[in-house]
Amino acid sequence: MQGRPSGGKPLLVTVLVFPGVRLLDVTGPIEVFASANEFGGRYRVRTVSPNGADVVTAAGTGLGVDLAAADVEYVSDVVVIPGGPEWPSLIKDDALLDAVRALDARSRRTASICTGAFLLAAAGLLDGRRATTHWRFADQLALRYPRVTVDADALFVRDGHIMTSAGVSSGIDLSLALVEEHLGADTARAVAKDMVVFMQRPGGQSQFSVRTRTPHTRQELLRRILDAVAEDPSANHTLAAMSRRAGVSARHLTRLFHDDMATTPARYVEQVRMEAAQAMLEGGDDPMASVAHRTGFGSPESLRRAFTRNLGITPGAYRARFRSTNAARAGDGN
């Protein structure tokens, strides 16, 4: 799809809503497009429902509707298909699926948010395509619709004119990619900064902060060590140094990490330092030597080896991803 000049014809976005729709699936993309209008975009957003009636979301909030799906006359530049927590019943709603098919037939780009992928799949629109959905439901999408190739870790996937995204907040990632597609990376970057979100989040759905995904430990001694590493990744966190601070032998500390954390002290320290380095690379232009020093890697070469080992890319390539939403990396079946 070719971008349009900001002074040209408005870009029409049609958002399908229905009873029980997840609110953020709807409002997240709308906010991205509305913000883009503050930076030279000309998006016109409308909401439609299968019968034209207003709806109540899963959060209990009422949403007004502009028209019925069957009354859509003009081709949409983007159709947004949100999801809902009651997706198992939604995929049996023939009227809703008919609306999905009708809107897709009159759209240049169809994009699902979270479990909205189930509506696309039930409507037959994902057959033979790659797609994603919320990580919790990816296995069910693959089992129910074997003709769909499910990427359980992607934040969003593009295959032909259809895009699918993961959990609810990834609808923002997908919408930023669409803004970049229409209006360029500079506008998308301005929108991301305005909304205080990543231009492109690192990793996939499996990415969480090290401390968030670390198993909970009831060992007070071990918690103090974990906190010390997280608070200052650049400090001396060799096994010997941590053991001295904890007042236990290196063997005992190693056993605590193994039993409570299912990892080693060195691996945990590297994970924290990786996360700190990623944050620096995402948010600034510090020299690699500075990034390496401030995150505890010591040298640019050690930093490069850690990134290559953990992410399969160099720190420079990682930083470059944050100059763009890099939508091309989401895949394109054509």
Side-chain angles (χ1 to χ4, degrees):
M1 188 189 307
Q2 297 299 315
R4 295 185 182 183
S6 59
K9 184 179 178 182
L11 289 156
L12 182 60
V13 178
T14 301
V15 182
L16 177 65
V17 298
F18 44 84
V21 69
R22 191 177 293 278
L23 183 60
L24 187 57
D25 285 10
V26 176
T27 58
I30 288 177
E31 283 294 332
V32 171
F33 298 125
S35 181
N37 286 345
E38 299 177 19
F39 297 97
R42 293 192 63 196
Y43 287 100
R44 183 163 71 89
V45 180
R46 60 185 176 180
T47 56
V48 306
S49 65
N51 59 5
D54 295 348
V55 303
V56 176
T57 70
T61 303
L63 285 180
V65 169
D66 296 313
L67 71 165
D71 294 334
V72 172
E73 297 181 355
Y74 302 103
V75 173
S76 301
D77 291 283
V78 178
V79 163
V80 177
I81 307 295
E86 300 301 321
W87 60 265
S89 60
L90 295 174
I91 60 177
K92 301 174 184 177
D93 186 332
D94 290 335
L96 179 57
L97 297 182
D98 285 343
V100 170
R101 295 185 191 98
L103 293 173
D104 175 72
R106 300 187 62 77
S107 175
R108 294 185 175 91
R109 174 77 73 197
T110 298
S112 70
I113 313 299
C114 196
T115 56
F118 283 87
L119 296 178
L120 293 183
L125 300 176
L126 294 183
D127 288 354
R129 298 184 186 274
R130 290 179 60 245
T132 193
T133 188
H134 192 290
W135 61 268
R136 188 184 302 167
F137 306 114
D139 287 346
Q140 295 186 55
L141 183 65
L143 287 171
R144 285 174 180 264
Y145 305 102
R147 297 189 64 187
V148 180
T149 301
V150 179
D151 185 339
D153 192 50
L155 291 175
F156 61 87
V157 169
R158 180 177 62 192
D159 193 327
H161 78 288
I162 290 182
M163 296 179 75
T164 52
S165 65
V168 289
S169 61
S170 64
I172 294 175
D173 298 276
L174 181 151
S175 300
L176 284 169
L178 287 171
V179 170
E180 182 181 15
E181 184 176 286
H182 295 143
L183 305 171
D186 288 344
T187 301
R189 191 175 302 112
V191 173
K193 183 178 292 187
D194 184 58
M195 296 182 67
V196 197
V197 297
F198 282 130
M199 178 71 162
Q200 181 203 13
R201 281 190 283 168
Q205 295 192 66
S206 60
Q207 64 135 51
F208 299 97
S209 73
V210 173
R211 287 307 305 270
T212 298
R213 66 175 182 261
T214 296
H216 177 70
T217 176
R218 288 176 289 182
Q219 296 282 348
E220 178 62 30
L221 180 153
L222 188 53
R223 283 203 301 270
R224 291 200 306 269
I225 293 295
L226 300 180
D227 290 341
V229 175
E231 287 170 7
D232 186 6
S234 66
N236 180 5
H237 297 304
T238 63
L239 178 58
M242 290 191 291
S243 300
R244 285 195 300 271
R245 289 196 294 268
V248 297
S249 68
R251 177 176 294 184
H252 182 63
L253 184 61
T254 299
R255 186 181 303 115
L256 287 177
F257 268 88
H258 179 271
D259 294 345
D260 278 38
M261 314 295 295
T263 190
T264 67
R267 179 59 180 156
Y268 177 78
V269 171
E270 182 175 79
Q271 287 176 325
V272 172
R273 286 174 171 168
M274 279 290 302
E275 185 175 88
Q278 287 172 268
M280 286 191 68
L281 293 170
E282 292 157 14
D285 295 309
D286 298 81
M288 288 300 171
S290 177
V291 174
H293 175 73
R294 291 173 58 188
T295 59
F297 284 106
S299 70
E301 178 58 24
S302 294
L303 179 68
R304 186 193 66 78
R305 287 198 300 268
F307 266 69
T308 301
R309 180 170 59 253
N310 286 279
L311 301 179
I313 59 173
T314 65
Y318 183 89
R319 170 180 276 165
R321 294 184 179 187
F322 289 85
R323 300 298 185 264
S324 165
T325 59
N326 221 347
R329 295 184 67 251
D332 196 327
N334 286 352

